[in-house]
């Protein structure tokens, strides 16, 4: 998934982003509300992890704007205020879930994953196609019963290809979902990752290239 972490405490933002990247997500960071709104307008995020007390533009205003202008984006609101009234207010202005600080990274990651499932069309918990079985929760991949060890990026790319259900996925779409905003749009990272993925999945080749269109698993 593509995730934006909007949190003004840079150390916490970096820690959350690193944990989520460890779950094979692409993560961007915004340290204030104005930057968060700019990035949501530019990038196709699945989930925004949103601190309520942001500078420049308050988190409540960011939440309202994202909910109104990008209804497919799911919002997990973070706050040091744990009172019921605060939670009710956060949900009322458009947040999909609410997590008080301090929190456990494992719980945050689980909530983000659950929101990500709601941001997409309904999909099987385990993805299967062409003899490949991918379990996103265990982060395990098997082909014809053989375990396939994958890097984070390889796992993220394969997940997107399987979710496409046979439809070609362009290199740009893969770059959008599996890499963060620091990725060079002219990089050959997608092509190299596809090559490594093909090698690890083995014969016969299962990731096909459609010239000028993208990649697909038939």
């Amino acid at each position: 998934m593509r995730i934006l972490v909007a949190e003004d405490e840079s150390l916490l933002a970096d820690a959350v982003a690193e944990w989520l990247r460890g779950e094979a997500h692409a993560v961007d960071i915004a340290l204030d509300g104005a930057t968060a709104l700019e990035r949501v307008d530019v990038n196709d995020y699945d989930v925004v992890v949103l601190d309520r007390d942001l500078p420049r533009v308050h988190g409540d205003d960011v939440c309202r704007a994202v909910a109104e202008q990008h209804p497919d984006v799911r919002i997990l609101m973070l706050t040091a205020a744990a009172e019921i009234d605060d939670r009710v207010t956060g949900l009322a202005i458009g947040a999909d879930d609410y997590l008080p600080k301090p929190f456990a990274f494992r719980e945050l990651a689980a909530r983000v994953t659950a929101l990500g499932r709601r941001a997409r069309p309904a999909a099987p918990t385990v993805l299967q196609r062409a003899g490949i079985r991918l379990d996103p929760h265990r982060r395990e991949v098997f082909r014809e019963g053989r375990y396939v060890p994958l890097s984070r990026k390889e796992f993220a790319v394969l997940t997107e290809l399987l979710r496409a259900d046979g439809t070609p996925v362009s290199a740009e779409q893969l770059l959008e979902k599996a890499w963060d905003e620091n990725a060079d749009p002219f990089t050959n990272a997608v092509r190299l990752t596809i090559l490594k993925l093909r090698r690890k999945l083995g014969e016969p080749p299962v990731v096909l290239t459609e010239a000028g269109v993208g990649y697909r698993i038939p």
Side-chain angles (χ1 to χ4, degrees):
M1 291 189 296
R2 184 77 181 269
I3 300 166
L4 175 66
V5 175
E7 165 62 60
D8 64 320
E9 296 181 29
S10 60
L11 291 178
L12 178 58
D14 288 340
V16 170
E18 187 61 25
W19 187 279
L20 293 173
R21 288 170 184 145
E23 299 287 319
H25 301 303
V27 186
D28 299 327
I29 294 174
L31 297 178
D32 60 73
T35 302
L37 288 174
E38 291 172 1
R39 291 184 176 165
V40 170
D41 284 339
V42 170
N43 299 308
D44 182 20
Y45 293 111
D46 297 291
V47 178
V48 173
V49 178
L50 177 65
D51 178 41
R52 191 170 185 185
D53 297 317
L54 289 175
R56 297 184 67 193
V57 177
H58 194 273
D60 286 358
D61 295 322
V62 174
C63 185
R64 291 189 188 94
V66 173
E68 291 174 4
Q69 300 170 24
H70 305 277
D72 292 335
V73 178
R74 299 299 178 226
I75 301 170
L76 173 60
M77 184 170 279
L78 306 177
T79 181
E83 298 298 325
I84 291 177
D85 287 346
D86 294 307
R87 300 184 190 186
V88 170
T89 299
L91 295 171
I93 62 177
D96 297 281
D97 198 0
Y98 199 100
L99 188 61
K101 298 178 180 178
F103 52 81
F105 288 130
R106 287 180 60 194
E107 181 181 4
L108 182 143
R111 288 174 181 261
V112 166
T113 298
L115 289 177
R117 289 198 298 267
R118 292 164 55 187
R120 300 170 177 265
T125 302
V126 175
L127 301 173
Q128 299 187 71
R129 190 175 186 85
I132 298 171
R133 184 179 186 277
L134 182 148
D135 187 328
H137 302 295
R138 295 178 179 273
R139 291 200 65 239
E140 291 180 341
V141 174
F142 293 85
R143 184 178 185 189
E144 306 295 352
R146 175 180 62 87
Y147 176 68
V148 182
L150 298 180
S151 70
R152 296 175 187 176
K153 285 292 182 284
E154 292 159 0
F155 188 91
V157 167
L158 182 60
T159 300
E160 295 303 321
L161 292 174
L162 290 173
R163 285 187 183 277
D165 199 25
T167 302
V169 183
S170 70
E172 291 77 13
Q173 289 172 310
L174 291 174
L175 198 64
E176 174 73 25
K177 290 298 184 182
W179 280 263
D180 60 29
E181 66 181 0
N182 296 316
D184 182 350
F186 301 104
T187 183
N188 62 355
V190 172
R191 184 178 65 83
L192 292 176
T193 301
I194 291 289
L195 289 174
K196 293 176 182 177
L197 186 58
R198 283 174 174 152
R199 184 173 67 249
K200 290 185 178 182
L201 290 172
E203 298 293 334
V206 70
V207 180
L208 305 183
T209 300
E210 293 199 4
V213 179
Y215 306 95
R216 71 184 183 93
I217 296 177

